Amino acid sequence: QKEVEQNSGPLSVPEGAIASLNCTYSDRGSQSFFWYRQYSGKSPELIMSIYSNGDKEDGRFTAQLNKASQYVSLLIRDSQPSDSATYLCAVRPSGGSYIPTFGRGTSLIVHP
Amino acid sequence: DVKVTQSSRYLVKRTGEKVFLECVQDMDHENMFWYRQDPGLGLRLIYFSYDVKMKEKGDIPEGYSVSREKKERFSLILESASTNQTSMYLCASCPNPNEKLFFGSGTQLSVL
C-alpha cells in the first residue's frame, strides 16, 4: 500500500505568520505532487503542483520537494484568516498507475 | 471554464434503496473518479474510469458499482444503500496523469 502521511493538526498560526505544512510519502518512485485546499463543506481545489526537486513559488505559496527524503511541503507566507482550511497532499505513484494517493489532510487555522 | 457537475448536492435515501449518483464533465477528459470523504479518513477512491466502458476498482469498491456509457458521464450506483454509506461523495476528472484533478461540488448522501 502506497502511503501519504500528513499531520492532521489543527495547525494554528497568527495572521501574518508563515504556515508550514508537511507531507511524507512511501513510494520512492513517485512522480507528481499536488497540494489541494479544501474549505469546510466545499470540494478540493488545486493550489500547487510540483514535479522536480527544489522550490516552486506562486504568490504567497511555496511548494518544496525533496525526493531523497520523500517529503513535500507547502509554505504559506503572510497567512490570512481566509487561508483557514484543510490542505490535502496528493502524490502520483510510480509503476504506471496514475491514480493519485491522498493524505488525510492538515487543518490550518489562521487567527487574527 | 472547466466544469464537473454532480446532479445532487444533498440526498436522503432509505436503507435498501438503489441510489444513483451522476457526474458530468464538459472538458473531454479521459479519466474520471469517484471518491468518498469521511471525517478523519480523508479521500478514499471507490472506482475510476480511464475510458468509455472501462472501469477499475479503487480502494473501497464493495457495495458500489459504476457505469460509463459516454465519455462525459460517470455514474456511481449503490445497489442496496446501507447506513455506513452515509458520506460525502466527490466526483473528479483529469485529462492525463500529470494534471490536477477537477472536482465536482460533492453530494452529501444520508442513508436512514
Side-chain angles (χ1 to χ4, degrees):
Chain A
Q1 182 80 10
K2 295 170 181 173
E3 297 186 344
V4 177
E5 300 286 343
Q6 294 181 257
N7 189 322
S8 62
L11 174 66
S12 182
V13 301
E15 184 175 354
I18 295 175
S20 178
L21 304 162
N22 299 310
C23 172
T24 60
Y25 57 94
S26 62
D27 180 12
R28 184 170 288 278
S30 295
Q31 300 292 320
S32 311
F33 307 84
F34 306 88
W35 282 101
Y36 290 83
R37 177 177 61 200
Q38 186 175 25
Y39 292 115
S40 179
K42 302 292 187 181
S43 55
E45 55 179 346
L46 184 78
I47 300 176
M48 297 279 288
S49 56
I50 186 166
Y51 305 101
S52 54
N53 276 330
D55 294 0
K56 179 181 178 182
E57 189 173 316
D58 183 2
R60 295 186 296 111
F61 299 95
T62 299
Q64 299 176 317
L65 175 60
N66 184 324
K67 289 187 177 181
S69 300
Q70 295 175 237
Y71 81 79
V72 56
S73 61
L74 179 70
L75 301 179
I76 307 174
R77 290 182 300 281
D78 188 24
S79 295
Q80 301 297 309
S82 58
D83 295 325
S84 298
T86 296
Y87 290 80
L88 302 170
C89 173
V91 177
R92 186 174 77 82
S94 60
S97 170
Y98 54 85
I99 308 304
T101 300
F102 282 84
R104 297 187 179 187
T106 298
S107 174
L108 173 66
I109 300 171
V110 181
H111 54 86
Chain B
D1 223 5
V2 161
K3 205 158 186 182
V4 179
T5 302
Q6 293 185 232
S7 53
S8 303
R9 185 71 180 93
Y10 298 97
L11 211 52
V12 180
K13 295 293 181 181
R14 296 273 181 207
T15 303
E17 279 192 77
K18 190 169 186 176
V19 181
F20 294 86
L21 302 182
E22 305 286 346
C23 176
V24 177
Q25 50 97 1
D26 64 359
M27 299 162 284
D28 202 37
H29 287 171
E30 303 287 338
N31 311 293
M32 296 188 74
F33 308 81
W34 274 107
Y35 290 90
R36 65 177 282 177
Q37 186 173 34
D38 301 286
L41 297 180
L43 282 166
R44 293 183 291 167
L45 182 66
I46 305 171
Y47 268 96
F48 68 96
S49 169
Y50 53 90
D51 201 353
V52 176
K53 297 190 186 295
M54 306 302 288
K55 60 186 179 186
E56 295 285 343
K57 293 179 180 179
D59 300 318
I60 51 164
E62 296 78 19
Y64 303 94
S65 62
V66 290
S67 172
R68 193 165 181 202
E69 296 296 319
K70 294 185 177 181
K71 191 175 186 179
E72 67 270 19
R73 185 181 296 270
F74 192 34
S75 303
L76 179 69
I77 304 155
L78 286 66
E79 297 290 342
S80 178
S82 63
T83 54
N84 63 13
Q85 292 178 310
T86 292
S87 186
M88 169 67 79
Y89 289 87
L90 288 162
C91 175
S93 71
C94 73
N96 67 65
N98 281 325
E99 295 289 331
K100 68 177 182 179
L101 295 183
F102 294 84
F103 285 90
S105 56
T107 296
Q108 179 63 53
L109 173 68
S110 297
V111 182
L112 306 178

